[in-house]
Amino acid sequence: MKLQRYIMCVLCALALQANATDNYPKNPNIDIDNYRFALTLSDDSDVIRGEAEISVLLKKDGVESLRFDLIGKSENMGGKGMIVSVVMVNGTPANFNHAGDALSIQLAKESRKEGPLKVTIVYAGIPATGLIIGPNKHGDRTFFSDNWPNKVRNWLPAVDHPYDKATCEFLITAPDHYQVISNGLLIETTNLPSSQKLSHWKQSVPIATWLYALGVAEFAVQYVEEFEGKSIQTWVYKQDRDSGFYNFAIPTKDVMAFYSDYVGPYAYEKLANVQANSIRGGGMEAATAIFYHPSSVTGDRTERWRNVIIHEVAHQWFGNAVTEYDWDDVWLSEGFATYFTLLYIEHAYGRDEFVEGLKSARDKVYQFYKDNPDYRIVHDNLDDMSKVSTIQTYQKGAWILHMLRNNLGDKAFETGIKSYYRKYFNINATTADFKTEMELASGQNLDAFFKQWLYQGGNVELKGSWSYNSKMKKITIDLAQVQKDYSFSVPVEIAIYRKEGEKPDVQSVVLDKHTGKFEFTLDSAPLKVELDPNTKLLATWEFSRK
């Protein structure tokens, strides 16, 4: 498996370099294999003391230096940030430079050969963000990671970008009144002198650094059940035990079963739902340990929090197991998780709730579109990380998948999804990779579809009317695209209702110019005519009888 992963990483790096567009300084000659973070936390101060052991694979001879992201101590941040005291390479002290957010390590000549290296970094400081230290809603001290999208560098030395996935370990020494949750499996807890405790978690599947999780609090912990031999767990504040255990008991297992059947196998060792102090909105999909806002524990199973659970579990497949190679392709995470939430809703709760979710998503797309008419889903050289995702990467991304599903048909869509997941399982993918898999599954050329929906701005706005000529026995449909600047080729379904209570005749047309006229033979005047009766098109319209 190790050799297979190495070969896949090399091929992936070579294939994807041409598609890289964000400006992170990627280095395809270096692959991080494993991070081992030993951290000491205290109740006496917010200083964390860390020792990172990083297993690095050099893919070629002659690499002169290594770069890791790590925010240095700065007066601009109130004296917060990390100070590096020691760096060693293969057990030998190494020269390094730590400036701003980059730690550069010079490699001695004997260390520049292709093959593995072990880098040790000893450091300490108070994180400005990334690891949130402070009281929870009950006033109890807690420590929770908050890495999205590139804040792990505030407390861990790492390649803080999704293109280089690695396994990880957390060895946490903290006062023994805390419980510790992290990625993967708990492989050791040991009581230490002076009322300290060591907790060792190990994640054996490679993941991106934003998915690294650490939660340290006084938890109530429930081992709920298992899915295919993998533990499903609940971790909530001790005061919220009863409400939290009730809230998170469902629907995790059923959701995992649905995605495993539709997409492919679950990648990881466990799945824990965790009440966390670092989450400002709904949830964060950290691999194997999903963090939720403290208000998620309500004592009743609201639809909103049910849907958040479904969404964050979907991320374990999309974003976590298959990870975007580049920040500009973040829709491969957020758009997919949003649409697969709707697919599970369709499966579990019915078509009506699915359609309601689509219409709500469409409303959000057009609200955003009013002020951002040129926004496109696949970014171009994004350098402002506060804008790495928007409502469009979620909601419009979901709608693009919905339209693609309707374009290809359910069978080809599901085949393509399975193939995409299988091929890029536990590595990285681009939008171009996804497009290729969907083309292979369907036999269609999807250049035009992907170009208009993902690589340009704009949205479809229609204006039209219908009329009936009783002499000619014909109904005429006039449609026009009235949005500014961008044009689309879109299939439009037209429902013609003949009589009350009867199913309509549904005609499909393609509007590939700004205006179109369509005629159909009809022996009598219709009762009414509607556009998009099956909710297949991302568009708004004004449509009436002439």
Side-chain angles (χ1 to χ4, degrees):
M1 287 299 293
K2 172 66 178 174
L3 177 62
Q4 181 183 19
R5 183 184 166 228
Y6 169 66
I7 293 171
M8 288 300 293
C9 285
V10 171
L11 293 175
C12 187
L14 292 174
L16 298 180
Q17 283 179 61
N19 293 319
T21 53
D22 75 29
N23 57 11
Y24 184 85
K26 304 180 184 73
N27 189 341
N29 299 319
I30 295 170
D31 177 35
I32 308 301
D33 183 55
N34 184 69
Y35 294 99
R36 189 177 192 268
F37 300 112
L39 302 175
T40 299
L41 309 178
S42 170
D43 282 340
D44 298 328
S45 78
D46 292 346
V47 173
I48 67 170
R49 303 187 185 280
E51 180 175 314
E53 289 186 2
I54 306 172
S55 299
V56 182
L57 183 65
L58 302 186
K59 298 180 181 179
K60 60 176 289 186
D61 290 344
V63 175
E64 297 182 354
S65 65
L66 305 176
R67 180 192 188 280
F68 295 100
D69 301 296
L70 185 66
I71 301 291
K73 184 176 179 179
S74 169
E75 294 306 317
N76 293 333
M77 298 188 297
K80 295 181 178 180
M82 298 296 125
I83 297 176
V84 176
S85 56
V86 176
V87 173
M88 293 190 293
V89 176
N90 290 340
T92 301
N95 293 324
F96 66 92
N97 180 54
H98 188 199
D101 65 352
L103 173 64
S104 178
I105 301 170
Q106 299 303 308
L107 297 181
K109 289 184 179 180
E110 61 270 17
S111 300
R112 298 177 185 177
K113 298 178 181 179
E114 180 179 349
L117 295 175
K118 178 166 286 187
V119 178
T120 302
I121 302 167
V122 180
Y123 66 102
I126 299 175
T129 186
L131 183 67
I132 307 303
I133 304 172
N136 65 13
K137 67 178 187 177
H138 300 292
D140 294 336
R141 183 172 173 81
T142 61
F143 307 75
F144 282 102
S145 54
D146 177 28
N147 297 329
W148 172 263
N150 65 337
K151 293 188 291 188
V152 79
R153 64 189 68 189
N154 284 274
W155 63 294
L156 302 174
V159 175
D160 195 11
H161 188 282
Y163 89 98
D164 195 340
K165 300 169 72 169
T167 56
C168 65
E169 299 174 65
F170 282 89
L171 293 85
I172 306 301
T173 299
D176 61 11
H177 59 91
Y178 292 118
Q179 289 80 41
V180 177
I181 177 72
S182 187
N183 310 96
L185 295 178
L186 181 63
I187 63 173
E188 179 190 357
T189 56
T190 300
N191 288 327
L192 302 174
S194 303
S195 299
Q196 299 292 294
K197 182 172 66 177
L198 171 66
S199 303
H200 184 180
W201 287 86
K202 185 173 183 179
Q203 168 72 34
S204 62
V205 181
I207 55 176
T209 51
W210 100 75
L211 301 170
Y212 291 3
L214 178 63
V216 181
E218 295 187 53
F219 285 113
V221 182
Q222 183 184 40
Y223 295 84
V224 182
E225 53 189 333
E226 290 188 349
F227 173 73
E228 296 183 347
K230 299 176 180 182
S231 176
I232 299 173
Q233 304 168 13
T234 297
W235 294 62
V236 295
Y237 305 149
K238 62 182 183 181
Q239 297 90 340
D240 295 331
R241 175 187 179 276
D242 293 343
S243 295
F245 289 178
Y246 177 77
N247 276 136
F248 288 120
I250 60 172
T252 301
K253 185 174 182 178
D254 288 342
V255 178
M256 295 174 75
F258 174 75
Y259 294 145
S260 293
D261 180 63
Y262 196 112
V263 182
Y266 181 65
Y268 305 115
E269 305 94 328
K270 72 165 191 308
L271 185 57
N273 293 311
V274 183
Q275 185 183 20
N277 206 39
S278 56
I279 304 304
R280 291 174 295 279
M284 172 47 59
E285 64 270 15
T288 80
I290 301 170
F291 284 7
Y292 298 90
H293 190 273
S295 65
S296 61
V297 176
T298 61
D300 53 12
R301 293 168 179 162
T302 65
E303 182 179 302
R304 178 189 180 234
W305 287 110
R306 179 204 73 187
N307 291 347
V308 171
I309 292 171
I310 298 167
H311 179 97
E312 303 306 336
V313 174
H315 268 306
Q316 305 299 306
W317 278 258
F318 299 111
N320 296 15
V322 178
T323 305
E324 57 269 29
Y325 177 78
D326 193 274
W327 283 123
D328 295 336
D329 281 328
V330 73
W331 85 284
L332 294 174
S333 176
E334 298 301 351
F336 276 61
T338 303
Y339 188 58
F340 275 80
T341 298
L342 291 174
L343 286 182
Y344 177 79
I345 287 171
E346 181 181 37
H347 161 78
Y349 309 117
R351 176 77 183 180
D352 289 347
E353 193 166 337
F354 171 72
V355 170
E356 182 182 332
L358 284 170
K359 290 180 177 179
S360 175
R362 181 166 60 195
D363 291 343
K364 293 172 184 175
V365 168
Y366 279 87
Q367 281 296 117
F368 183 91
Y369 172 57
K370 288 178 183 178
D371 298 322
N372 304 274
D374 298 319
Y375 184 89
R376 71 190 208 186
I377 299 301
V378 177
H379 306 301
D380 181 23
N381 238 358
L382 179 70
D383 57 6
D384 183 351
M385 294 304 292
S386 70
K387 298 179 181 178
V388 70
S389 62
T390 68
I391 199 73
Q392 298 298 68
T393 53
Y394 289 76
Q395 310 298 344
K396 188 173 180 180
W399 257 100
I400 290 167
L401 289 174
H402 182 60
M403 291 187 291
L404 183 63
R405 176 189 172 198
N406 284 293
N407 185 332
L408 305 185
D410 286 352
K411 184 177 180 180
F413 181 79
E414 186 172 344
T415 298
I417 290 292
K418 280 182 164 67
S419 176
Y420 169 69
Y421 185 73
R422 181 172 58 250
K423 187 171 183 178
Y424 297 100
F425 185 65
N426 290 332
I427 56 173
N428 298 87
T430 67
T431 297
D433 295 325
F434 174 63
K435 172 177 170 289
T436 296
E437 294 308 308
M438 301 313 285
E439 287 179 331
L440 290 172
S442 65
Q444 295 187 30
N445 184 317
L446 296 173
D447 287 349
F449 180 93
F450 274 68
K451 180 181 178 181
Q452 72 178 12
W453 290 113
L454 289 159
Y455 294 98
Q456 73 172 28
N459 274 315
V460 178
E461 297 177 283
L462 302 176
K463 190 171 185 178
S465 62
W466 68 274
S467 60
Y468 180 73
N469 186 318
S470 57
K471 291 183 179 180
M472 301 293 294
K473 304 291 185 184
K474 284 186 177 180
I475 183 172
T476 301
I477 311 290
D478 290 295
L479 282 177
Q481 296 187 42
V482 296
Q483 72 275 1
K484 298 178 181 179
D485 300 326
Y486 299 98
S487 62
F488 294 77
S489 175
V490 291
V492 183
E493 288 190 342
I494 301 167
I496 302 171
Y497 292 83
R498 296 172 180 269
K499 295 179 181 179
E500 192 72 45
E502 285 188 1
K503 288 185 177 181
D505 294 331
V506 178
Q507 302 289 339
S508 295
V509 301
V510 176
L511 185 61
D512 56 8
K513 298 180 180 179
H514 275 288
T515 60
K517 183 185 291 290
F518 309 95
E519 293 184 337
F520 307 101
T521 299
L522 205 63
D523 56 10
S524 62
L527 183 67
K528 63 178 179 178
V529 180
E530 291 182 346
L531 299 186
D532 193 37
N534 296 308
T535 318
K536 292 183 177 181
L537 177 62
L538 180 60
T540 58
W541 54 83
E542 295 178 14
F543 187 73
S544 60
R545 184 169 188 171
K546 183 182 290 186

